[in-house]
Amino acid sequence: MAPLKSQTAYLVALLLLFASCVKKQEVPIPKPKGYFRLITPEVAYQRWDSIFPFSFDYSKHATLSFQRKENNIYWIDIHYPSLSATFKMTYYPVANNLHRLMWSEEEQVMFHVERMMTDDIQFSTVNDPAARIFGRLYELEGKNVATPFKFWLTDSTHYFVKGTLYFDFAPNNDSLAPIIDYLRRDALMMVESWGWSGKR
């Protein structure tokens, strides 16, 4: 009888061990979509006044660098290290090419529309004859828009500058809304504080 009792006890212990290892099947519950909390730097500006024939205010949390290309064209980067974002700007001297430069910017915006890469485009016109500042600002809305903000400015005779906001990663603009809004305000400050200095 002793072996039977020990076998029964062994079997019961084995069943209890097996039962403790079996995971209960849980009913999956969908979890709400969430995003990381994004913290933007405090708003603070500094003046850029250099060899270029224009000056403007830009963020104290950004670094500015430039590179000279052929035909007196310059690339200017305003980089936000903490936000992984950059305003990429290009300065062109105007020499019977103003219409082509303006049309090129319009074509780039329309490319987003034709490829259905944007849900909506808001634009506003800059028209300050006294300061000789003319241009356009574009806000491209949509979850996967790579360049949510663009602008171009000209004095109509000598200078043309275009700027585009880029991120250092593939953006999801739903989650980046606070960052995009912060950078949009910085871009508006650049445009509103813009002035031509007359250097050539």
Side-chain angles (χ1 to χ4, degrees), residues 15-26:
L15 287 170
L16 287 171
L17 181 64
F18 178 74
S20 68
C21 293
V22 174
K23 191 174 182 182
K24 289 184 179 178
Q25 185 69 25
E26 295 180 3

Side-chain angles (χ1 to χ4, degrees), residues 103-172:
W103 181 243
S104 175
E105 293 307 295
E106 294 291 326
E107 283 184 321
Q108 288 184 32
V109 172
M110 292 311 297
F111 174 81
H112 286 78
V113 175
E114 291 165 4
R115 296 294 176 94
M116 294 185 289
M117 298 162 67
T118 179
D119 298 334
D120 191 22
I121 297 176
Q122 303 288 332
F123 71 89
S124 54
T125 300
V126 179
N127 185 22
D128 186 348
R132 296 201 60 76
I133 301 174
F134 311 96
R136 269 198 167 178
L137 292 77
Y138 307 90
E139 293 181 59
L140 288 75
E141 299 173 2
K143 183 176 180 180
N144 297 311
V145 170
T147 56
F149 196 90
K150 294 173 65 69
F151 70 88
W152 59 264
L153 297 171
T154 182
D155 71 337
S156 79
T157 53
H158 301 296
Y159 320 119
F160 183 92
V161 179
K162 67 175 185 176
T164 305
L165 171 62
Y166 289 98
F167 289 98
D168 301 341
F169 51 87
N172 177 339

Side-chain angles (χ1 to χ4, degrees), residues 32-180:
K33 194 171 188 177
Y35 300 112
F36 292 109
R37 184 172 177 225
L38 300 173
I39 299 174
T40 55
E42 190 176 326
V43 175
Y45 297 107
Q46 57 192 328
R47 192 74 180 164
W48 171 254
D49 190 2
S50 71
I51 63 169
F52 297 116
F54 50 85
S55 58
F56 57 89
D57 293 347
Y58 72 103
S59 174
K60 285 188 174 181
H61 306 287
T63 59
L64 192 151
S65 61
F66 61 88
Q67 182 181 3
R68 184 175 180 174
K69 309 303 285 184
E70 295 178 359
N71 302 319
N72 288 323
I73 295 171
Y74 284 85
W75 288 351
I76 306 160
D77 283 357
I78 300 174
H79 182 61
Y80 293 74
S82 65
L83 303 178
S84 297
T86 305
F87 279 107
K88 292 193 170 288
M89 300 165 60
T90 308
Y91 159 60
Y92 301 89
V94 172
N96 298 319
N97 58 350
L98 182 59
H99 184 268
R100 179 175 57 79
L101 291 169
M102 291 189 299
W103 181 243
S104 175
E105 293 307 295
E106 294 291 326
E107 283 184 321
Q108 288 184 32
V109 172
M110 292 311 297
F111 174 81
H112 286 78
V113 175
E114 291 165 4
R115 296 294 176 94
M116 294 185 289
M117 298 162 67
T118 179
D119 298 334
D120 191 22
I121 297 176
Q122 303 288 332
F123 71 89
S124 54
T125 300
V126 179
N127 185 22
D128 186 348
R132 296 201 60 76
I133 301 174
F134 311 96
R136 269 198 167 178
L137 292 77
Y138 307 90
E139 293 181 59
L140 288 75
E141 299 173 2
K143 183 176 180 180
N144 297 311
V145 170
T147 56
F149 196 90
K150 294 173 65 69
F151 70 88
W152 59 264
L153 297 171
T154 182
D155 71 337
S156 79
T157 53
H158 301 296
Y159 320 119
F160 183 92
V161 179
K162 67 175 185 176
T164 305
L165 171 62
Y166 289 98
F167 289 98
D168 301 341
F169 51 87
N172 177 339
N173 293 341
D174 287 346
S175 63
L176 288 175
I179 302 295
I180 292 172

